[in-house]
Amino acid sequence: MSRYLDRGAIAAGWVGVGMAVTVAVSFLLVIPIEPIYWLLAFPSGLLIGYYANSRSDRRAGPWSRILANALYAGALTGLTYALLLLGIKALFFTADDGYRDASAGGRLECSTGAGCVYERYLADGRGDELAAEGVTDVDSFTLFYWSQQSQSAGLMLVLTTVGGLGGGLMYGVVRPKTRGPAGSPAG
């Protein structure tokens, strides 16, 4: 890997994994506000793409190396974002037992898992929208749901990876100058 990437970029990629895990736990599990998770994908990519080159102390060298560092760190972070989104969605999809607060109408009568998720969508008034998409039963709902989630995960991967490239471009433009003799900054 070090032939194409700097060691600092490899470490930064793992920092990006940790960042994605922290954001996912914070905004998909602890305080479930999925739009914040979405909003943080691109800036997280920017940050990790910049950090990959900063950590590598990439003061000189070809742009291709700067962009490769940023692409690696952004893609690894984005892949983690996407997999965590799918994993957490799968957890809630399979464990849904129909519980709702009494103010929302009380427990739904349904089969745990896909059946309850489908009933929840219907109870929220999305039946016409689902019917327009050809969703008429639990099986067609399951295919529709996972198709939507896969598209969402793919978008998270793209947003974070593009953000990583943007961070690499920013670093390349503002990177520190090369060092002169004896470690002092050049002229």
Side-chain angles (χ1 to χ4, degrees):
M1 279 286 239
S2 64
R3 180 175 163 187
Y4 302 105
L5 298 171
D6 293 324
R7 294 184 86 179
I10 295 168
W14 290 107
V15 169
V17 168
M19 178 174 50
V21 168
T22 302
V23 172
V25 167
S26 299
F27 296 110
L28 294 177
L29 287 174
V30 176
I31 305 170
I33 308 172
E34 190 173 335
I36 292 177
Y37 190 69
W38 283 84
L39 291 173
L40 291 175
F42 184 76
S44 295
L46 284 173
L47 183 64
I48 208 65
Y50 188 96
Y51 178 66
N53 287 292
S54 179
R55 171 121 183 178
S56 299
D57 198 24
R58 175 84 13 217
R59 295 174 178 270
W63 271 92
S64 60
R65 186 67 162 240
I66 291 171
L67 294 178
N69 287 341
L71 180 64
Y72 170 78
L76 188 57
T77 304
L79 182 62
T80 305
Y81 257 89
L83 291 175
L84 288 170
L85 179 70
L86 290 174
I88 291 169
K89 293 286 185 169
L91 173 70
F92 284 103
F93 189 83
T94 58
D96 192 339
D97 66 354
Y99 174 80
R100 291 190 307 174
D101 189 287
S103 65
R107 182 175 295 278
L108 295 168
E109 294 298 322
C110 54
S111 300
T112 300
C116 285
V117 178
Y118 180 54
E119 289 299 322
R120 190 175 302 278
Y121 272 62
L122 293 176
D124 289 343
R126 299 186 205 169
D128 293 338
E129 180 183 325
L130 290 173
E133 293 289 333
V135 176
T136 57
D137 60 4
V138 174
D139 291 335
S140 59
F141 173 76
T142 301
L143 290 172
F144 172 77
Y145 181 87
W146 285 112
S147 172
Q148 295 291 84
Q149 299 310 319
S150 297
Q151 290 174 11
S152 296
L155 187 56
M156 294 297 287
L157 174 61
V158 169
L159 283 172
T160 310
T161 303
V162 169
L165 283 174
L169 288 170
M170 287 185 344
Y171 182 85
V173 170
V174 300
R175 64 183 156 176
K177 306 292 183 239
T178 58
R179 295 183 183 188
S184 64

